[in-house]
Amino acid sequence: MLPLLLLLAVLSATAAASLRPHPLDPLTPAEITAIRAAVLDSPLVPARPITFHYVGLDEPDKADVLAYAYGSGTRRRHRRILRLLPRRALVARNASSSSSSATATVLSHAVHRGAGFPTLTLEEQFAAVALPAAYQPFVDSVRRRGVDIGDVLCAVFPVGWFGGSTTDEAAGAAKRVAKMLCFVADSTANFYARPIEGVTMVVDLDSMAIVDYKDRVVYPVPKAEGTDYRAVKTGPPLTGQPAPGVVLQPEGRGFHIDGNIVRWANWEFHVGFDMRAGTVISLASVHDDDAGERRWVLYRGFVSEVFVPYMDPVEEWYYRTFLDAGEYGLGLWAFPLQPGADCPNNAAYFNGYYAGQDGKPVAGENRICVFERYASDVAWRHTEAGFPGELRSRRRPDVTLVVRMVVSPGNYDYILDWEFKTSGSIKFVVSLTGLLEVKGTSYTHADEITADAHGTLVSENTLAIYHDHYVTYHLDLDIDGTNNSFVKNVITAARNTGDPATGGAATPRRSYWTVRREVAETEADGQVDVNAGPADLLFVNPGKKTRMGYEVGYRLIPSGATAASVLADDDYPQRRASYTKKQVWVTPYSKAEKWAPGLYADQSTGDDGLAAWSGRNRGIRDEDIVLWYTLGLHHIPYQEDFPVMPTLSGGFELRPSNFFERNPILRIRSGSTHGPSKNCSCDAR
């Protein structure tokens, strides 16, 4: 293949500071255009043609961003800091133009000669799937199955890595290849439900040619009947439909957006977009009303990777071990959100711009939505019946702010929510829906299955294959400052032998539990299987204490979907995503360490990435540390998941733990979130 180059480009700083973007704002269309021009004009990039695989913000050094965002001083000082902060972009591209008046300059460039390749572009995938219709061996295979070639759609699947070198020794150059699988789409929108099983093609993405072909076995193509999910195809509406509802906000939205900064209730944070990560949340801080100050919580957070390995080892399936962020790009496969359906009518939207294969900016409308959620949940309440002749009740409604993106990399849809609560918590919710990836089979009834079929028969001739979903978050926590520690409060059982403090005799109680506090010293201590035993996992600031003497902190609370990988350690997909053996990893902050499987995920070998970095066993006590949390789900498909899967959710929460001096929403405004009610006793007393 042509050289794979990693470039660092700096954008012009000639604009007035008042007009310059926030240091963490995503690249604008004008900036992407300038970066393209700089790359094409640069003498450091002699080879042509050029394919742009990734163009993203290379954020300034963290200390400089913090000085800009939180530093004291006048507005003039902040403008001066902003002028000094460079707007830089990281560019990954293949080189095999025209001149321009570039407002960017290429600072550096390096040739990547190691394992792995950058994200597949949309354009090369579209070009590849057009090849099979003109490839005679495939046309013959389709004809043998009684299928019209005009009814066939194909998709590009990464090949993974299964040992050996990713370099073609004879040619002396690495091969960017992918596999293609095809489906019948004549009578259904759900073409994934009608695979042309047994056929596999390998396409060289650089020469854009089919270089290998196998038609190993013929299975019936599943029928189209019962596979469609469109209303016109599914039959009459269900009886007993819920009544429609709307969200009314008589005073308007409760949040304010200033550029990419969102302010709501006691929260303030920055929203960004990246073509690989999708949504990026930065500089999240919460206002402590009792202390009268804004306090840091999160510097930068995003989904680092989505690992989806399938569990059928046969020729057409063994390599289906997807790294959706690194191979496909979550931002690339985020599509417009529909008001009133994907997001409520009270939502506001952010666009997401990215660079196409030619380096030109591509507009992504309504990629992220922000809205207030009114779910009739309770923020806090108490009813007291202990006063004679009187019942005292107090409660406060819970309203939250949600930042949402929906990613559809092929058959699955991932609804990715950040939910901010006035209590200071941040909830992370991943909801899975979409279409199962199925395998054609001769089976028409479960009674016919006498050996491991590696899946569930969800319809005649249709096996939904077992698989996993692992969604890994990169969360650079800054709890009241950059230097934090990771603490495990381990629940430990004890026998009652009396009170050692007073020397009192033992009561009839025989056992209890207490807490053993363990402070992680190194990265090895920061790797945790949350299912191994009961413990609270906290991130504390050892330099800040409450008036009662406790270190201020936040704790991690898993809420479902805590599966860890059960694949063998020496299995190739597991080597590429070895971090999925444990849900929690804690590492020292490094600007270069963002992507759990490494920078180049396609055909990666596991030699780069989270597990490799953490193997250095660096110190993490009282340091600037990062939490990597993997939400995991073993998915055994069931018939209800077909033809389209009802939403299944899991998540986790970051919750204040001795961060505030008391309940921070004790004084939250009372009242109904849905208008006045004669039965409401949510008074202000």
Side-chain angles (χ1 to χ4, degrees):
M1 61 169 279
L2 297 169
L4 173 61
L5 306 182
L6 188 65
L7 303 168
L8 188 64
V10 63
L11 291 144
S12 171
T14 57
S18 59
L19 300 177
R20 297 191 70 203
H22 186 282
L24 298 181
D25 279 358
L27 299 173
T28 66
E31 289 176 325
I32 294 172
T33 299
I35 291 163
R36 176 181 184 270
V39 171
L40 294 177
D41 284 352
S42 174
L44 296 176
V45 191
R48 295 294 187 275
I50 293 175
T51 297
F52 291 80
H53 289 267
Y54 174 83
V55 178
L57 178 72
D58 182 61
E59 67 266 20
D61 290 341
K62 180 176 178 178
D64 294 333
V65 175
L66 292 175
Y68 165 79
Y70 300 122
S72 60
T74 64
R75 180 173 296 182
R76 177 179 296 177
R77 177 178 180 273
H78 285 192
R79 288 200 299 266
R80 186 167 62 252
I81 294 174
L82 184 58
R83 282 197 297 269
L84 295 174
L85 292 180
R87 289 284 288 173
R88 297 185 303 202
L90 191 67
V91 183
R93 57 118 187 117
N94 289 333
S96 23
S97 153
S98 59
S99 62
S100 62
S101 55
T103 56
T105 304
V106 175
L107 292 179
S108 64
H109 107 300
V111 179
H112 172 66
R113 302 189 186 279
F117 301 105
T119 306
L120 279 65
T121 71
L122 295 178
E123 293 87 344
E124 66 187 354
Q125 293 179 65
F126 296 149
V129 298
L131 298 175
Y135 188 69
Q136 194 58 48
F138 177 70
V139 174
D140 294 340
S141 293
V142 169
R143 185 181 299 115
R144 283 196 299 271
R145 288 164 171 82
V147 174
D148 187 333
I149 191 67
D151 295 331
V152 173
L153 288 178
C154 300
V156 172
F157 289 61
V159 297
W161 173 74
F162 292 90
S165 172
T166 60
T167 299
D168 181 348
E169 301 294 345
K175 290 287 187 180
R176 288 187 63 245
V177 295
K179 297 199 177 184
M180 285 194 296
L181 301 174
C182 299
F183 311 84
V184 182
D186 61 331
S187 302
T188 178
N190 184 4
F191 61 85
Y192 290 103
R194 306 193 70 203
I196 301 175
E197 199 65 45
V199 175
T200 305
M201 286 169 281
V202 178
V203 59
D204 185 315
L205 295 172
D206 291 321
S207 64
M208 202 50 67
I210 295 172
V211 295
D212 191 24
Y213 183 80
K214 291 180 182 178
D215 187 349
R216 188 182 66 89
V217 63
V218 176
Y219 287 112
V221 175
K223 62 183 180 181
E225 181 184 357
T227 64
D228 214 317
Y229 48 85
R230 294 173 294 178
V232 294
K233 296 284 189 176
T234 57
L238 292 174
T239 57
Q241 297 270 11
V246 295
V247 174
L248 297 177
Q249 294 182 290
E251 299 177 12
R253 294 173 180 152
F255 60 91
H256 303 277
I257 297 177
D258 180 9
N260 285 73
I261 298 291
V262 177
R263 297 182 179 89
W264 171 79
N266 50 350
W267 279 103
E268 179 178 308
F269 54 87
H270 180 279
V271 178
F273 173 87
D274 180 82
M275 61 189 296
R276 179 166 176 172
T279 301
V280 181
I281 300 294
S282 305
L283 300 173
S285 62
V286 64
H287 188 267
D288 184 339
D289 213 47
D290 288 337
E293 63 180 356
R294 182 161 296 283
R295 301 173 66 186
W296 304 2
V297 177
L298 173 79
Y299 175 66
R300 202 155 169 83
F302 50 88
V303 175
S304 177
E305 193 51 80
V306 179
F307 177 48
V308 187
Y310 281 79
M311 299 300 149
D312 192 333
V314 301
E315 179 69 26
E316 296 80 23
W317 282 82
Y318 76 91
Y319 58 87
R320 301 192 199 192
T321 54
F322 304 102
L323 293 167
D324 282 341
E327 293 170 339
Y328 288 113
L330 301 184
L332 284 179
W333 290 87
F335 298 106
L337 298 167
Q338 181 178 339
D342 292 316
C343 310
N345 289 324
N346 62 330
Y349 295 85
F350 287 94
N351 298 330
Y353 296 94
Y354 62 90
Q357 179 171 298
D358 60 1
K360 295 179 180 179
V362 179
E365 300 294 327
N366 290 3
R367 291 310 195 255
I368 301 169
C369 71
V370 182
F371 60 90
E372 288 166 294
R373 172 177 282 156
Y374 298 84
S376 295
D377 291 329
V378 177
W380 64 261
R381 77 174 313 282
H382 180 62
T383 296
E384 181 56 65
F387 293 94
E390 183 181 1
L391 189 67
R392 297 184 180 181
S393 291
R394 296 294 182 270
R395 72 273 293 163
R396 296 295 184 266
D398 192 25
V399 181
T400 62
L401 187 75
V402 176
V403 180
R404 170 173 294 170
M405 171 177 280
V406 178
V407 179
S408 304
N411 56 304
Y412 263 105
D413 293 61
Y414 293 90
I415 305 167
L416 304 171
D417 285 354
W418 292 65
E419 187 171 7
F420 295 85
K421 299 172 68 71
T422 52
S423 62
S425 285
I426 308 174
K427 295 182 70 175
F428 303 79
V429 182
V430 176
S431 300
L432 280 65
T433 180
L435 312 175
L436 296 172
E437 193 157 313
V438 302
K439 174 183 179 180
T441 178
S442 60
Y443 299 130
T444 59
H445 193 277
D447 290 346
E448 300 169 9
I449 303 174
T450 58
D452 189 352
H454 309 292
T456 303
L457 195 68
V458 293
S459 186
E460 292 85 353
N461 308 118
T462 307
L463 276 169
I465 302 301
Y466 307 141
H467 57 282
D468 294 327
H469 299 268
Y470 299 106
V471 181
T472 300
Y473 284 82
H474 173 286
L475 301 168
D476 180 9
L477 299 174
D478 283 350
I479 307 301
D480 240 3
T482 56
N483 280 34
N484 291 173
S485 294
F486 177 50
V487 175
K488 290 177 278 189
N489 278 345
V490 181
I491 307 298
T492 305
R495 298 290 294 181
N496 181 23
T497 58
D499 187 348
T502 63
T507 65
R509 180 71 175 268
R510 295 185 176 183
S511 67
Y512 60 95
W513 62 259
T514 188
V515 175
R516 183 180 71 250
R517 188 174 189 267
E518 300 176 355
V519 182
E521 297 287 346
T522 65
E523 289 176 276
D525 303 325
Q527 300 171 20
V528 179
D529 177 357
V530 300
N531 298 314
D536 275 5
L537 306 178
L538 297 101
F539 295 84
V540 303
N541 186 326
K544 301 284 183 67
K545 294 187 177 182
T546 67
R547 63 184 178 87
M548 304 306 297
Y550 292 106
E551 294 172 341
V552 301
Y554 265 67
R555 75 181 185 270
L556 169 68
I557 305 176
S559 54
T562 59
S565 177
V566 298
L567 296 178
D569 289 340
D570 65 347
D571 195 5
Y572 297 106
Q574 186 59 44
R575 288 170 62 178
R576 299 177 70 209
S578 54
Y579 55 87
T580 57
K581 285 287 184 176
K582 294 181 179 178
Q583 300 87 354
V584 175
W585 297 64
V586 181
T587 64
Y589 169 78
S590 170
K591 181 181 172 182
E593 297 176 6
K594 295 180 178 180
W595 312 112
L599 179 59
Y600 301 101
D602 182 29
Q603 300 185 48
S604 61
T605 62
D607 294 332
D608 189 20
L610 176 55
W613 305 328
S614 195
R616 288 174 280 178
N617 205 25
R618 297 161 292 185
I620 58 172
R621 182 168 185 165
D622 198 10
E623 299 283 350
D624 190 354
I625 56 178
V626 174
L627 163 64
W628 305 75
Y629 184 81
T630 296
L631 182 152
L633 175 73
H634 300 307
H635 190 177
I636 303 173
Y638 296 93
Q639 285 182 243
E640 291 85 354
D641 295 338
F642 187 80
V644 63
M645 177 180 163
T647 300
L648 178 65
S649 300
F652 62 100
E653 179 178 349
L654 292 172
R655 184 180 178 94
S657 300
N658 295 328
F659 186 81
F660 298 104
E661 295 291 348
R662 60 174 182 169
N663 180 352
I665 54 172
L666 190 65
R667 295 184 288 151
I668 196 171
R669 183 173 65 181
S670 63
S672 170
T673 61
H674 297 286
S677 170
K678 64 180 180 181
N679 297 318
C680 179
S681 59
C682 303
D683 57 38
R685 292 177 293 165

